[in-house]
Every structure is written in C-alpha cells, then in structure tokens.
Amino acid sequence: MADKIPHIDGILHATGKSQFISDMPPEKDLVYVYPVFSNVSRGEIVEIDFSESEEIDGFIDKITCKDIPGENNVGVVEKGEPVFPEEEVEFFGQPVCAVIAKDYFTARKCAKLVKIKYREKKPTLTIEEAIEKNSFFKPQLNINRGNVKKGFKESQFVIEGKLETPIQEHFYLETQTCRVIPLEKGFLIKPSSQSPSEIQEIIASVLNIPQNLVTVDIKRLGGGFGGKEHNPGLYAAITAVASFKVKRPVELRLMRDDDITATGKRHKFKAKYRCGFNKDGKIKALEYEIYSNGGAYVDLSIPVLERCVLHSENAYFIENFKLKATACKTNLHPFTAFRGFGGPQGVFFMESIIEKIAKTLNLDPMEIRKKNLYKSGDRTPYGQKIKESYLQVLFEKIEPTYKEWKKEVEEFNQKNKFEKMGIAITPIKFGISFTIRALNRGYALIILYPDGTVSVSHGGIEMGQEVSTRVAQIVSKTIGISVKNIHIESANTKRIANIPPTAASTAVDLNGNAAFKSAKILRRRLERVAKKIFKEKFNISCEEIKMENDICKCEGKEIPIKEVIERAIWDREKMAEYQFYKTPEITDFNEEKGKGHPFYYYVFGVAVSVVKTDLLTGEFKLLKTKIIHEMGNSINRDVDMGQITGAYIQGMGWLTLEDMVYKEGVPISISPSTYKIPTISDIPEVFDVELFISGSKYSSIFGTKGIGEPPFLYGESVFFAIKNAIEDGEKKDSLLTPPATPENILKAINTLKLKREK
Ligand code: MTE
Ligand code: HPA
Ligand code: MOS
C-alpha cells in the first residue's frame, strides 16, 4: 500500500518557509537568556561575580539557583539533576547561572563576562577511574542463561578480549532552543523537545505552579536523534526561570560550540568478554562484563544500558550466556539517548566477537554468522521468544552479492599493496517498544470540519522522520479524505497530554494506531450518515460505502465527503474523536531475574559494505553498500528509504569519521571544523537498498515496523570492512603495521627505500 506521498511540509522546508522556534516572530518585549557554563570538571562554587556583566548596555537581569521558585531538579528517572548546582559543579559545561539581556548577542556577551571562582576537586573522568572509586549508577543489570562454565569446558576454542565503542555527538541542525511566554495565567513553552509532557512536568515543578497552567507546544524539531529526549528539560527550565523572574517572554538558543560542549551524547561503552566455540564456528558460551560512562547525572543511562544488554547477542542464538552491566558516574556531561539507544553498542560487541572467531578459525565471517543465526522459535538470553526469524532468508538473499563483491575485493587485494579493499556483512535484529512498558502509549485526536478538511493532533513529535506524513496517510486511508485536506497540528499538551517521548522508533506504531482507532470511529459515523443521504437523494440502500479521495461511493452514485460531514454535524453526530492505544503483550525487563518480554516484535535486516583504504594515510572510501531491510509492510516507501539510508550513514559516521575528543574532561572537538560528520561525498557510489516486505504478522499499524533506529546498526559493516581491509594488509605483507600512525608510515617508507636500494 506504499503510496507516493511527499513530505507533508516538504514545500515549506524546500522554500525556507517552515518555522523553527527562532524563526517565529518575536513577541513584544522578547528578551534573551544565556547560560554561564562551568569551566571546571568538578569543583565547589566559591563566588559568582556578575559585576562586569551588569555594566554592559542591554543587561537586564541574572538568575542563579536562588531564583528557582520550586524544585531545583530536572531529573526524571531519578531526582538530583539540578537546573543550577547549589554547591558543586559536576561537569565541564554545566550551566551554573544565566544572564538575561535585550538581545541574543548581548546575552552571550554578558554571560562571557560572569566570573565564577571554584575550589577545584579531582574529577572522575573514565570508566576505569569510576570502577576504582566504585562510582556507579544503580541498578546493575544481569542476565544468566544456561551454564557458561560448562559451555566453556565443552568448547574447542575460548577467546577473550576487550572492546570499546566511541562517544557520538548528535549534531542536530537546530541547537537546544526554547521560548517561554508568560500568559495571563501560567506559561506557554515552546521547546525543541522530543518529550513535551516531560517539559511540562519539569517546568511546573521548577516554577512551583500547577501542571494545567503549563502549556507546551511543539511544531517540529530541526533534528533530535535522541539528543532532544532528555537534554531540553534543563534548557527549558532555565528559560522558564528567566521568564518567571523578568515577567517577559524569553528565548534561549545555544551556540553550536556550547551545545556540543554542554549537552549529552551517545555513551562510551567498554566490554570484557570470553567466548567459547567449536571449530565449525558454533558459539557455545559467551560471558560479558559491560560498563558505560554515564557522565555526571543518571539521565537515561539505565534504560540505555538495558537496551545495550538486550542487544548484546544481536542476531545469534547463544545457549550459555552470562552478562553483568553497569553504568558509571563520572564528571563528564551526562550521556543520553542517541539513535539505537545502547543497541548499537551491544551489537558492536557481538559483531566484533564474530569477526574474531572467524580470524581464529580462518573462516569467512559470513559462515560463522550463518552458523549461529536465530531461528524462529529460539529464545533470547532474556527469555523472549523470536516468533519469526527472517535472518536465514535475508542471508540467502544477500549471499550472491556478498560472494561477488568478495571476489572483487580479493582480486584487488592481490594486486595492491598499499591500497586494500575490505568487505563485511552485518545482520540486525532490533527490538521495537520502549523497554519501560509504561511508556508504550499513543494518542490521537481527529476533528472533521464541514468543508471536508481534517485536523489531526497526535502524540508524536516531528523531527524530520516524517511521523506526521505517515499518520496523515493512515487517517487518509481510513476515512477516505485525501492527505492534502489533512492538517497535522503542532504537539500541544492541551490537546494531547501525558505522552511518552517520541523515541524508541515507536511513534508511528503508537500514535498511528491511536489515529487509526479515531479515524475508524469517525468513518463509521460518516457511513451511517452517508447511507441516509444515498437513500434520500438517490433512493438506494447501500450495504457498503466506498470512501476515497474525498468522495463517498455507492452503486455508481457519489457524494462528496464534505457534504456528509456537514449533514453529520446537522444530525448532531460527534465529528471529533480522541483515542488511545497501548502496545499489547509486552512486559518490563525484570532486572533481578534478567528476564522479560520487553519487545512487541523485532525488525530484521542485513547490510554488506565494501570499502577501499589507503594503508599509508588511513583514508578510506566507502564504495558499495547493499542493504536488505525487512519490514512487514511500508506505508511510505520514500520515507522508509530516507530513514534507512540516513541512519546507515549516521552509523558509519559514528565508527569511522566522527571523533569526540576530550582533553582532561574538556570537550575540544566542538565545531564542524573539528567534529566531522559524514557529508554527501561519503555516500557510496553503489547504494542498493531493498525493502523486503515480509507481510509479518508480528508488526504494527498496517503491518509496518518501526524504522527510525534499526538501520543505524548497518553502519557497523563499514567499520568491519575497513578492519578487514587493514588486516589483509597485515596478513599478506608485514611492511605496514596498522594503525597508520606517523611512526608506522615512516617505518613503511624506510622499509620500502631499503627494498628499492637492494
Ligand atoms: N530522522 C530524522 N530525520 N531526524 C531525527 O531526529 N531521530 C531518530 C529516528 N529518525 C530522527 C530520525 C530517532 S533517535 C528515533 S527514536 C526515531 O526517528 C523517532 O521517530 P519514530 O518513532 O517516528 O521513528
Ligand atoms: N528507547 C528510547 N528511549 C527510551 C527508551 C527506549 O527503549 N526507554 C526509555 N526511553
Ligand atoms: Mo531515539 S534515541 O529513541 O530518540
């Protein structure tokens, strides 16, 4: 049923007319607030001196923790994350206080002139330091299945090792932004947030006002990627405290450098593992000890850790499995949600182990993977049954391409010494649902107007992923009103309330299902009225009425839907419907037992990447990609392709080009010139993405499956392809020992010279 429907706001975006927060016309008296960030990683606040700042023309006021009328807290999973710290700063970049000025640039200038004295303390920065100091967030997560000891004993090979994954910056285009407008009673908040209800709760508590006097309204985000799931609460709170104090509308917008310095990112993870297997590659036992660097406050570190744990076996059945995972508290900015939400880290560990098994046995990694893939009916280490595994089928489909490309790679590598090609294949099995069961809720309010147009409010936030386009399509299909007559409203907590964040790739499942329920009820009412009109007008009794393209049809006769709506209103039928959806079947993951059924279903897929690397410079080029992505059905093929290709490239960026650099706890790669995200030139020349429409019944609305995050994991195949290319260099010619450090390059050049002289 995938229709060709363009982005619902595509024309607005393409013509530059779509409004983000800072594009909205300024309210009368709008002023700007800018935070003063800590320039130490840890220290007691001794003194804050605003005097220089106060002398600047345009300075209006300042705010500190003393100006917070309510609770000094923005933590939701756990309290204790302050708006402004009262005694001690806990990370470099933490907002300590803020200044308010007449315009944006004056506010920044004033903020820069604030002098803060600290009594510095030694910060904890790394996972190792945190382990040494026992600095952890609770709870620790455990999984225990089978008997690993026995498994190791029965294994012909046992390998062990250490792995780690890098930090990643979200690099959304719109930085953290918020505008707060005081109303006759209460406040209107316009944050750039994936979680409007969280913002509402935080502001009410920070300002000590009732929640019904806080209205949060969000039209769209200039990208979120998880960076706007929890991060925006702090900045919305600062803006609200400023507005509360000066009693004027206030805007906050972070400069890029400050945004990268101060806000949460993808967690660094480390793992120690032991893996037992047989000479045919069959894995017998796996044991993990996993740590993440959670930063200064718990933020979403525990659910992120949980999703890592629940993906740390990726696509493979492992009979004996034991795992212990802990999030560390350190003095870096808090780490937070980022596309995949711990999943990519867990999968990276497993895929690294598979590659190592292949090296140990000198077999093609493809064979090791095939040996261990989940089959339908297998259970995960946490006990959830994989009702339907598409992994075998996907491997069969992609194998011819893999073999063909592998041959090319081998031929190239035989002829070339300093340039090597590499190939890798990465399967995925990604669980869809919030792992916190309570969050799996969707909402939709549909209103029909007598001119045949529709207003839809739903619980999803539009951040580029086109949840709105797809919800509009669901409504359109169900009622028969064309997408051009459907307007998707901003997310507003006065229309749709108590909603979970738009996250975990669930927004279409949850809110699309709610919209479907509302639309179905409205359609039934319209059919009832239409039957009456067909009878009156044409004297026909309709059994079944067709409704599509804004027209009701019965036995060759037609009535415009708008006429039916008009009549329905006249007949006192309710032409608005508010519906709710909750995901069935799922349970929370039980932390003590290490068991649960946290996912409604799984998404499957497989990716093959081919790269060419220059062993002397370390430069690489992604040449070819083939992805086969399983989904039950597609509502909008173009949107799905956009999500798959975009996520894949973002995943590649994480493990290859991007490098978040810190110097003693201070982020230093804080601008586009030092933090390199992929660009158009990094797209492979062959980029073959295939949607495998499985028709799976373990899926969601109209048979679709969540698409936002799973394809991020395909990016890992680029990393392993590069690794394989480098290792080919190592294997066939010891001339160069990667990595291509300056020393190694020099060594290689010297060796080459010697060879020439001979
Ligand atoms: N796509 C775009 N263009 N921009 C984004 O910020 N966020 C991703 C993904 N795709 C994102 C995106 C993340 S992290 C998630 S969880 C999902 O979209 C959320 O939206 P969905 O539930 O509608 O898939
Ligand atoms: N994914 C994204 N965000 C979340 C989740 C999740 O599984 N759980 C809580 N917040
Ligand atoms: Mo996505 S990391 O669940 O916002």
Side-chain angles (χ1 to χ4, degrees), residues 258-274:
D258 292 330
D259 190 298
I260 301 184
T261 302
T263 65
K265 310 184 197 312
R266 183 186 298 284
H267 294 73
K268 177 188 266 306
F269 271 73
K270 290 199 173 186
K272 272 195 252 177
Y273 71 87
R274 259 187 107 196

Side-chain angles (χ1 to χ4, degrees), residues 223-226 339 463-465 467 470 502-507 643 708-709:
F225 305 112
R339 207 171 197 168
M463 48 184 156
Q465 89 281 34
V467 57
R470 287 174 284 167
T502 290
S505 309
T506 59
Q643 287 292 297
E709 295 168 289

Side-chain angles (χ1 to χ4, degrees), residues 200-238:
Q200 181 190 12
E201 285 164 32
I202 287 174
I203 302 289
S205 134
V206 166
L207 297 187
N208 193 23
I209 58 175
Q211 289 177 354
N212 66 357
L213 296 188
V214 180
T215 306
V216 177
D217 189 271
I218 301 169
K219 196 180 283 184
R220 60 170 69 84
L221 317 184
F225 305 112
K228 292 177 182 163
E229 188 172 335
H230 181 65
N231 277 324
L234 171 59
Y235 295 97
I238 294 172

